[in-house]
Amino acid sequence: MAHELSKAYDPSEIEKKWADFWVTEDLFSLPTPETSGKVFTLLLPPPNVTGRLHMGHMLNQTEMDIITRWKRMSGFKTLWLPGTDHAGIATQMMVERQLATEGKKRQDLGREAFIERVWEWRREYGGAIQDQMKRLGASVDWAREYFTMDENLSRAVREAFVRLYEDGLIYRGKYIVNWCPRCMTAISDLEVVHQETQGKLYEIRYPIIWSAQEAAERRSADAGMPEHIVVATTRPETMLGDTAIAVSPHDERYKNLVGLKVRVPLIGREIPIIADDWANPEFGTGAVKVTPAHDPNDFAIGKRHDLPQISVMDENARILEGIGDYGGLDRFKAREKILADLEAQNLLASVKDHTLSLGRCTRCNTVVEPRLSTQWFVKIQPLAEVAIQAVEDGHIRFTPEQYKKTYFEWMRNIHDWCISRQLWWGHRIPAWQCDACEKHTVARETPQKCAHCGRTELTQETDVLDTWFSSGLLPFTVFGWPDKTKDLEVFYPTSLLITGFDILFFWVARMIMLGCWFMKDRGLAESVPFKEVYIHALVRDAERQKMSKTKGNVVDPIQVIEQYGTDAVRFTLASLASPGTDIAFNPERVEGNRAFANKIWNAARFLFMHREKAGVHGIFWDGETFVASTRLEDVWIRAKLNAATVQVNAALAQYRFHEAAHVVYHFFWGEFCDWYLEIIKLRLNQGETSEDKATTCETLLYSHVIFDTALRLLSPFMPFITEEIWQALYEGKTPKPSIALAEFPISPDSLGEPQVAAGSRAAEDQMAILQALIVDIRAQRAELKVEPKIKVPINIFVNPDVKRIIENNQPMVEKLANVESIRFVDQSLAGSAGARVAPQYEMQVIYEQKIDAAAERERLNKDLVKLEKEFSNNQRQLGNEQFLSKAPAPVVEGLRRRAGELELLLEKTKSSLAQLG
RNA sequence: GGGCGCUUAACUCAGCGGUAGAGUGCCACCUUCACACGGUGGAAGUCGCAGGUUCGAAUCCUGCAGCGCCCACCA
């Protein structure tokens, strides 16, 4: 492909080109390996088919892509498996909304036609998020893409349901569930979000029914005979379904009322006063109305006391016909009317402000109504026990580790899982009800006859399964389960899961439970759906607010990408992705990383320019052996690159994306560009002799090797720009079709080459002295206000060792610090005008202009204060017997060495000050 | 009511037992032949508060204050 780089870095053009290339060349498709050795598998948390890419996705996919590319380049057979989720409620709502614009409801179409309509919708609009993923450069295996409603996955869902049923873990029953009257379906506990809401607490008088006999008894006993019992409630409309009043058995106030009957106001039903521990004497009046069909606690009381369950609302949360004057009224309208009617009868004792926690549907924000209905449940305890053990035994590792606690917390207090939904879009429950005996037959295929009575008139269950039921099975169903496939054998358990904490319970926990259960014949350690979980943070806006459509602060990743380029956005997210910390995403921050990309671009152009000038082509590298050089800057940059390599590999192994990004940024900009390229300019801008040309070629070769390695180090973070430059570097003759398939750098030092390591350390020490000297000269020039273009002579006072280092690298010092000439003197320069002292050298800038004595004195005084403070700390520690005996030797040695330096520096600084007068 | 975090330079965040760091922003100078999406130099922090452990604490422990998140059936 591209052999040369355009003058200006334009991400939009190159990103489109390579995104297409990766997909059309099928670069990331992985054939099924023979064995599971060195295989890395990652499942993409399937976005909703209705989804549009948001910053959360982008962070998630950037992290997954970095890890995936890193693993792939490091020699793993890497599979990143993409897919989309059919998202029951969300998708059904979307299509219903579309129907509504045509003035239709789903009931007008009927179940089959409606489902066909959803498929149509999916064919037309369902691919949006995949297209967006391609723009991010996500290196997934598109050939294996799945959809949770695909036939093979649907078959697996039925199989899983039937097996759980056969294991006795699925039951059907009439219980209080969370009901959304707008979605008209049951939802699980997790789909209800509780909000503190300012509401009212109403106290209502229920008239006590006194029989003549009881009344007489009371009067003779002088026991008092109250007319009413007052109950407190936040939802007066449910009184229509009251079947008892409960008081605490220990509540003296009500002791002798237990067993009596009261009349439910407005409807006149007689109900008993019962004693139950649930009633809290401290709260309200101590007496609570009991409505078993509309409250989970009341449901439990009802079971204990065998109370009738009277439902008073329909599926839309309207009062049922025939109940007082309230039939057909919406629950909140009914509440108003009931309160007014109570008031009129003087039965409303009081109304108080009361904050309560109101449950709302996560989909549509409608207030959830606890409703008595028949649903399918998963008996969760047996599944949870195994899932807890899997994590306790360390078969799944959480990063950050704190999420393990959250996971245990939830798992240990888990309730049975309501898995049926009254929707049409989804996996229909494989159960058939007998028209005659009304019992259910659960089967993989449509049964011929009832399993209980043998009759043949059967009707399939109309409910579908919770979407999370099918996604909870994905880690094995995507590999062909229930069949025993090769894929399942080599890819399961997957290696890693990267996801947000918001679906820790919805998805992560359920995958663990279901995986451990269905794969249990592999043994616990191998039954888990993934070996590691990395939980990433939330992307917030620049003000740390949660992004939300209603607040209007949602940042559209595609827009930011168009402004700065995908690479810059990816790099920004990576550099902010410190485990466990939410990300405050400010688009302005991307600017800095866009500049970084530009910097790399120009570094490449610099090398290419010289390559052209020198007529040097075909600089290729096998990616393994280092080209030798003994030049200080060459050994030094190699040592720095090795260090960066070691750090990046270590950081990625711990999902410390921010650290890896920082290391690679600092290497490229702070070391390679700022120092190395500046230094080699000396060798690249040489003359025409054959010796000069040879030097240029050597220099180019060496710098290309370094640059090539650095590009591969950066590639997982910025795949596009590195691909573009890498392809150009090899002039179309790349060793691999893509940089993404090239080798990720590993440090030669880490492979055990002690003499190389020693040489590196010496080079680093020498460069550190030269760098310090150069920086000091520059600073002194700035202080003396030497015009930038003027070269100045300098004097240096050093020991012979350092002198040799400087002499060997004199052109470097002269070029980088703009020095005319260096004179080595044999007397201390401390105190001389324009001098600076360091532990290893004394340096004086010779400049005719008069020194600003005041400024110089200020600087020296500041230095002096700092030095004195450090020295006194240093001396205090070194004078401390305890420290000397207890601190580790290297620390003590370090301080001793520093003490010597400090003494010297103090002395020199003081003498300089004295000279200034 | 339970549980979990966070508080370090103007801003965003690293560091988590051995002399306070980065990026952005800010100030000054420089359009030098890769890059002004640049270069060079510089200013800027009693590491929330109070105790404790330690030779040594931003780093470990306890308490307090502020901020945030998750879970939960108290009418």
Side-chain angles (χ1 to χ4, degrees), chain A residues 304-440:
Chain A
R304 286 198 285 275
H305 296 268
D306 204 19
L307 299 171
Q309 302 161 342
I310 303 179
S311 288
V312 297
M313 291 180 210
D314 65 12
E315 57 192 16
N316 294 301
R318 281 187 304 241
I319 305 300
L320 292 170
E321 290 302 335
I323 301 181
D325 298 336
Y326 310 103
L329 285 181
D330 171 79
R331 54 189 163 162
F332 299 117
K333 287 269 184 285
R335 179 183 297 177
E336 282 171 31
K337 182 161 165 54
I338 284 168
L339 288 169
D341 291 351
L342 287 171
E343 181 87 75
Q345 294 183 28
N346 196 28
L347 292 175
L348 187 59
S350 77
V351 180
K352 292 169 185 161
D353 285 334
H354 180 66
T355 50
L356 60 143
S357 142
L358 207 55
R360 290 174 181 275
C361 173
T362 47
R363 278 286 147 212
C364 64
N365 210 35
T366 304
V367 175
V368 163
E369 187 64 38
R371 182 166 192 255
L372 189 63
S373 68
T374 304
Q375 304 287 346
W376 294 85
F377 297 85
V378 173
K379 195 170 151 194
I380 212 80
Q381 208 58 45
L383 295 167
E385 274 166 22
V386 188
I388 289 168
Q389 209 203 329
V391 176
E392 272 176 347
D393 292 357
H395 302 310
I396 299 175
R397 204 167 63 104
F398 278 79
T399 307
E401 211 170 344
Q402 74 212 42
Y403 285 105
K404 199 162 81 174
K405 287 187 210 160
T406 315
Y407 169 83
F408 284 138
E409 191 67 21
W410 189 70
M411 276 299 204
R412 287 173 179 144
N413 297 296
I414 199 165
H415 297 296
D416 283 357
W417 178 13
C418 173
I419 49 170
S420 45
R421 297 290 180 276
Q422 288 64 52
L423 302 172
W424 284 355
W425 176 240
H427 300 284
R428 199 160 166 181
I429 290 177
W432 286 260
Q433 188 173 31
C434 176
D435 292 354
C437 76
E438 295 191 348
K439 287 183 177 163
H440 282 78

Side-chain angles (χ1 to χ4, degrees), chain A residues 772-773 775-786 792-798 823 825 827-839 841-853 855-861 863 867 905 907-916:
Chain A
L773 176 65
V775 167
D776 255 354
I777 299 169
R778 286 168 175 170
Q780 192 61 24
R781 288 176 55 109
E783 190 172 290
L784 296 176
K785 298 203 166 46
V786 179
V792 289
I794 59 168
N795 290 334
I796 292 180
F797 173 67
V798 283
R823 189 162 66 95
V825 298
Q827 266 190 341
S828 170
L829 293 163
S832 310
R836 290 200 174 208
V837 296
Y841 59 82
E842 294 174 15
M843 176 281 301
Q844 179 189 25
V845 172
I846 313 289
Y847 192 54
E848 72 281 6
Q849 210 149 3
K850 230 176 83 191
I851 307 266
D852 181 345
E856 188 71 358
R857 196 177 301 117
E858 197 188 322
R859 177 178 69 82
L860 289 167
N861 269 320
D863 282 356
L867 288 168
L905 285 171
E907 191 188 312
K908 291 175 177 179
T909 307
K910 280 178 186 158
S911 127
S912 294
L913 274 168
Q915 295 280 336
L916 273 175

